[in-house]
Amino acid sequence: MVRVAKVKFNFKKEIDALEALVKKKFMDSLGKFVAKQIKDLSRSGVQLKTKKDSRDAHPPLTEFTKKKRAELARDNNTHALYSPNRSNLTFTGQLLNAITHAVIKDGRVKIQVKDSIRKPIVDKASKKRKTLTNAEVQADLEKRGRDFLAVDDELEKQIANRVNRFITRELRKIRK
Amino acid sequence: MQDLFKTTVPTDDGLRLALGQDIVDAIVKNTEDKKDADGGNLHSPYSNEYADSLKFKAFGKSKSKVNMTLTGAMLDSVKVESFNDDEIVIGFDDKLQSSKAHGHISGAVTKGKFKRDFFGLPDSDVVSIAEEFQTQVDDLNADEADEPSFLELFLLEQLRRTNQNNPFGGTSG
């Protein structure tokens, strides 16, 4: 009769501990990092596009838009990195400053623009200027081909590297 | 490797990879603390031209805080590239980040005026890291080591996958 030895490895303790750590501690900081990257890159003039492997500048502004921005700037508080001719999704700074993150129930992270009422833009040339929400501004920009809420190949690689480093570091602590 | 541990280091992939990963973490932390490979301070401040750039301002950088980080992509790409019985090679995830780093380490970015060699650690730091692995080395030599840990198996698998997917490899520091 042949007896077959049974060997069991039980990693449940490590896996449970790791899962709790990843969900609670790490996902939040990772979400914060990605939200900041999207905001800062957009403000620097880079247009992020999903799964793209190179980074291009935002499409240039039309002459009409440049003129309008310069006109509106006279009566509004503009962001430090606003410039009338600069295509970086920045006038008062409200839109990009509203990019935020949320850790969702099943361990995923959502990056989104917080949909809040914006401080109205004073436009003396227009009597009927409607105050838009951030969501409305975002939708309008995307309709015009000015997408910005995306993770491209380079950012995805950065995220993967950070996840790797985090897991490695925490696993070493567990096993010590 | 033998100089570091004062004994023969057994052929164990998990050990070498874990040691290499600790060195990677230490290099990144050292750089984030504005230190160079010798433990001194990285050359400061950033140039006026760089500090006046839109990207520098958009990322909220400070001229005096020289930590080799704008988007963070370069430091995030530092990795264990390979290892054998005698050495562990630390490199970069892709060619672009490797080239960027080389420019700083060699001084090419400043046309030879100064270097920012962040890619390394003072000897004392490397010795400290190795000391944390001494027990594991001794256990392996005495054949008293446990089965490969979950960490080691995970790391080995990650390294295999990374080297499979990435044709660039990068250069060692």
Short mmCIF file of all heavy atoms in Angstrom, two decimals, chain B residues 2 11 28 32-33 45 47 51 58 69 84-85 98 106 121 123 147-148 156 159-160 168:
data_model
loop_
_atom_site.label_atom_id
_atom_site.label_comp_id
_atom_site.label_asym_id
_atom_site.label_seq_id
_atom_site.Cartn_x
_atom_site.Cartn_y
_atom_site.Cartn_z
N GLN B 2 29.19 37.93 -0.41
CA GLN B 2 29.86 37.25 0.70
C GLN B 2 30.51 38.26 1.64
O GLN B 2 30.55 38.05 2.84
CB GLN B 2 30.91 36.30 0.14
CG GLN B 2 31.40 35.30 1.18
CD GLN B 2 32.03 34.07 0.59
OE1 GLN B 2 31.64 33.63 -0.48
NE2 GLN B 2 32.99 33.52 1.29
N THR B 11 22.28 29.82 -2.19
CA THR B 11 21.54 30.15 -3.41
C THR B 11 20.06 30.10 -3.09
O THR B 11 19.49 29.02 -2.99
CB THR B 11 21.89 29.11 -4.51
OG1 THR B 11 23.29 29.13 -4.70
CG2 THR B 11 21.18 29.47 -5.81
N VAL B 28 14.88 54.87 -2.59
CA VAL B 28 13.76 55.80 -2.83
C VAL B 28 13.56 56.71 -1.62
O VAL B 28 13.43 57.93 -1.76
CB VAL B 28 12.46 55.02 -3.15
CG1 VAL B 28 11.26 55.94 -3.16
CG2 VAL B 28 12.59 54.30 -4.49
N GLU B 32 13.94 60.74 -1.44
CA GLU B 32 12.81 61.57 -0.98
C GLU B 32 13.22 62.45 0.19
O GLU B 32 12.66 63.53 0.40
CB GLU B 32 11.62 60.69 -0.59
CG GLU B 32 10.91 60.10 -1.80
CD GLU B 32 9.86 59.05 -1.43
OE1 GLU B 32 9.84 58.60 -0.27
OE2 GLU B 32 9.09 58.67 -2.33
N ASP B 33 14.23 62.00 0.94
CA ASP B 33 14.77 62.80 2.05
C ASP B 33 15.85 63.76 1.58
O ASP B 33 16.59 64.30 2.41
CB ASP B 33 15.34 61.87 3.14
CG ASP B 33 14.25 61.11 3.89
OD1 ASP B 33 13.08 61.53 3.80
OD2 ASP B 33 14.58 60.10 4.54
N PRO B 45 19.78 74.72 -5.03
CA PRO B 45 18.37 74.49 -5.35
C PRO B 45 18.19 74.06 -6.80
O PRO B 45 19.17 73.95 -7.55
CB PRO B 45 17.75 75.87 -5.13
CG PRO B 45 18.86 76.82 -5.54
CD PRO B 45 20.16 76.13 -5.18
N SER B 47 17.18 74.83 -10.67
CA SER B 47 17.52 76.01 -11.46
C SER B 47 16.30 76.95 -11.58
O SER B 47 15.16 76.51 -11.47
CB SER B 47 17.98 75.60 -12.85
OG SER B 47 16.88 75.08 -13.59
N ALA B 51 12.39 75.99 -12.17
CA ALA B 51 11.43 76.46 -11.17
C ALA B 51 10.37 77.37 -11.80
O ALA B 51 9.26 77.47 -11.29
CB ALA B 51 12.15 77.19 -10.05
N ALA B 58 2.79 73.67 -11.41
CA ALA B 58 1.54 72.89 -11.35
C ALA B 58 1.64 71.79 -10.30
O ALA B 58 0.65 71.47 -9.63
CB ALA B 58 1.23 72.29 -12.72
N THR B 69 11.83 64.46 -7.62
CA THR B 69 10.43 64.06 -7.82
C THR B 69 9.62 65.18 -8.43
O THR B 69 9.50 66.25 -7.84
CB THR B 69 9.79 63.65 -6.48
OG1 THR B 69 10.54 62.58 -5.91
CG2 THR B 69 8.35 63.19 -6.67
N ASN B 84 22.24 37.23 -9.04
CA ASN B 84 22.89 35.92 -9.16
C ASN B 84 23.60 35.65 -7.84
O ASN B 84 23.36 36.35 -6.85
CB ASN B 84 23.85 35.89 -10.36
CG ASN B 84 24.90 36.98 -10.29
OD1 ASN B 84 25.37 37.35 -9.21
ND2 ASN B 84 25.28 37.52 -11.45
N ASP B 85 24.49 34.68 -7.83
CA ASP B 85 25.15 34.31 -6.57
C ASP B 85 25.96 35.45 -5.97
O ASP B 85 26.13 35.53 -4.76
CB ASP B 85 26.07 33.10 -6.78
CG ASP B 85 25.27 31.81 -6.89
OD1 ASP B 85 24.05 31.86 -6.63
OD2 ASP B 85 25.86 30.76 -7.23
N SER B 98 15.11 55.32 -17.12
CA SER B 98 16.53 55.01 -17.00
C SER B 98 17.37 56.15 -17.60
O SER B 98 18.37 56.59 -17.01
CB SER B 98 16.82 53.70 -17.74
OG SER B 98 18.18 53.37 -17.65
N SER B 106 24.91 61.36 -13.99
CA SER B 106 26.16 61.67 -14.69
C SER B 106 26.44 63.17 -14.74
O SER B 106 27.56 63.59 -15.00
CB SER B 106 26.10 61.14 -16.12
OG SER B 106 25.11 61.83 -16.84
N LEU B 121 23.34 54.01 -2.05
CA LEU B 121 23.21 54.19 -0.60
C LEU B 121 24.60 54.24 0.02
O LEU B 121 25.53 53.60 -0.48
CB LEU B 121 22.45 53.00 0.02
CG LEU B 121 20.98 52.85 -0.29
CD1 LEU B 121 20.49 51.49 0.19
CD2 LEU B 121 20.17 53.97 0.36
N ASP B 123 27.49 53.01 2.40
CA ASP B 123 27.81 51.64 2.80
C ASP B 123 27.15 51.25 4.11
O ASP B 123 26.67 50.12 4.27
CB ASP B 123 29.34 51.47 2.94
CG ASP B 123 30.02 51.47 1.58
OD1 ASP B 123 29.31 51.36 0.56
OD2 ASP B 123 31.26 51.60 1.54
N GLU B 147 10.09 26.81 4.86
CA GLU B 147 9.71 26.80 3.44
C GLU B 147 9.69 28.24 2.95
O GLU B 147 9.53 29.16 3.74
CB GLU B 147 8.31 26.20 3.28
CG GLU B 147 8.22 24.72 3.61
CD GLU B 147 8.98 23.89 2.60
OE1 GLU B 147 9.02 24.28 1.42
OE2 GLU B 147 9.56 22.86 2.99
N PRO B 148 9.84 28.45 1.63
CA PRO B 148 9.78 29.83 1.11
C PRO B 148 8.54 30.54 1.61
O PRO B 148 7.47 29.95 1.64
CB PRO B 148 9.70 29.64 -0.41
CG PRO B 148 10.18 28.27 -0.68
CD PRO B 148 9.96 27.46 0.54
N LEU B 156 9.15 36.67 -6.29
CA LEU B 156 9.75 35.95 -7.42
C LEU B 156 8.80 35.96 -8.62
O LEU B 156 9.23 36.17 -9.75
CB LEU B 156 10.04 34.50 -7.03
CG LEU B 156 11.35 34.30 -6.26
CD1 LEU B 156 11.41 32.93 -5.63
CD2 LEU B 156 12.54 34.51 -7.19
N LEU B 159 8.83 39.39 -10.23
CA LEU B 159 10.05 39.63 -11.00
C LEU B 159 9.98 38.88 -12.33
O LEU B 159 10.31 39.42 -13.38
CB LEU B 159 11.29 39.17 -10.21
CG LEU B 159 12.62 39.45 -10.90
CD1 LEU B 159 12.84 40.94 -11.05
CD2 LEU B 159 13.77 38.86 -10.10
N ARG B 160 9.50 37.65 -12.28
CA ARG B 160 9.38 36.87 -13.52
C ARG B 160 8.43 37.57 -14.48
O ARG B 160 8.73 37.71 -15.65
CB ARG B 160 8.85 35.47 -13.21
CG ARG B 160 9.92 34.40 -13.08
CD ARG B 160 9.29 33.01 -13.06
NE ARG B 160 8.64 32.72 -11.81
CZ ARG B 160 9.27 32.18 -10.75
NH1 ARG B 160 10.56 31.90 -10.80
NH2 ARG B 160 8.62 31.93 -9.65
N PHE B 168 12.68 46.35 -21.99
CA PHE B 168 13.73 47.35 -21.83
C PHE B 168 14.73 46.97 -20.76
O PHE B 168 15.92 47.04 -20.94
CB PHE B 168 13.12 48.71 -21.51
CG PHE B 168 12.25 49.21 -22.61
CD1 PHE B 168 10.91 49.49 -22.39
CD2 PHE B 168 12.76 49.38 -23.89
CE1 PHE B 168 10.10 49.95 -23.42
CE2 PHE B 168 11.96 49.83 -24.92
CZ PHE B 168 10.62 50.12 -24.69
#
